[in-house]
Amino acid sequence: MTRHEVRWQHAGDGYFDLDGLKIPASEGVRLLPIVGGASGAVVAVTAVRGRTAIQLQAFHVSAGRSWDSVRLELLARVRRNGGTAEEFIGRSGPGVQARVPVVTSEGANKVQDVRFVGLDGPGWLLRGTITGTGAVPGSTDAWSCGMFDEVAVKSTALVEPGSSAMELQWPPGEAR
């Protein structure tokens, strides 16, 4: 997956409308599309403000699949990959607070704080992955959770065959 920056303005109603997601627009926020899959479709977006980022991704899900089950899978995956993870209850409801091993661009090993938040509805699931200062345990950063809480999911968005990630419609003429 690759990331690119966008400099377009919201439609005037206070939201960026990406068809599958409506994301609140606010001062100082940059949006970076994340492209994936064989078609090169935008499948997620990262909103960045200051030293905090939140990646937002929506999925079509089958009956019985919920944020509760995905949260348990995240806990297990982080621990299996050498990190630490625990559940927490925050402003956006139940989530996962994790510390994951990463390799920097210089090749150094370090640990990164990550916070996962989620929400599900009929046939869809929204996952937010918070990094930066907003993901540090005990952080008082309210922006990322406020952003997550105001995202609207359009469950009729397209998905690429073999994937459950909803495709987002990036504005025509904008770099991806």
Side-chain angles (χ1 to χ4, degrees):
M1 288 191 224
T2 60
R3 298 180 187 194
H4 305 274
E5 184 172 341
V6 67
R7 291 180 168 79
W8 51 277
Q9 299 297 314
H10 61 85
D13 65 354
Y15 286 84
F16 293 105
D17 189 348
L18 304 179
D19 194 37
L21 294 176
K22 282 185 83 171
I23 300 169
S26 61
E27 187 72 29
V29 174
R30 295 179 300 138
L31 294 183
L32 309 169
I34 299 176
V35 178
S39 70
V42 175
V43 295
V45 64
T46 300
V48 180
R49 188 176 117 187
R51 296 177 55 203
T52 298
I54 180 168
Q55 178 188 17
L56 301 162
Q57 189 166 19
F59 302 89
H60 283 288
V61 294
S62 57
R65 186 109 167 108
S66 67
W67 174 236
D68 289 338
S69 62
V70 170
R71 206 170 54 251
L72 293 174
E73 292 169 11
L74 283 169
L75 284 163
R77 185 178 323 132
V78 167
R79 292 171 181 158
R80 187 173 52 248
N81 292 331
T84 60
E86 61 184 41
E87 288 190 86
F88 75 97
I89 302 294
R91 173 181 167 161
S92 298
V96 174
Q97 178 71 53
R99 298 198 82 201
V100 297
V102 296
V103 178
T104 67
S105 57
E106 296 83 29
N109 293 321
K110 71 177 228 177
V111 176
Q112 179 180 23
D113 290 304
V114 180
R115 192 175 282 178
F116 299 98
V117 291
L119 181 66
D120 54 58
W124 59 267
L125 183 132
L126 175 65
R127 182 184 66 209
T129 305
I130 303 167
T131 56
T133 57
V136 174
S139 169
T140 58
D141 171 71
W143 168 76
S144 56
C145 287
M147 166 74 74
F148 180 83
D149 292 344
E150 291 189 34
V151 169
V153 176
K154 182 179 177 184
S155 62
T156 58
L158 299 174
V159 295
E160 185 171 299
S163 172
S164 62
M166 291 183 192
E167 291 184 11
L168 304 178
Q169 300 302 309
W170 208 247
E174 289 299 330
R176 288 197 328 191

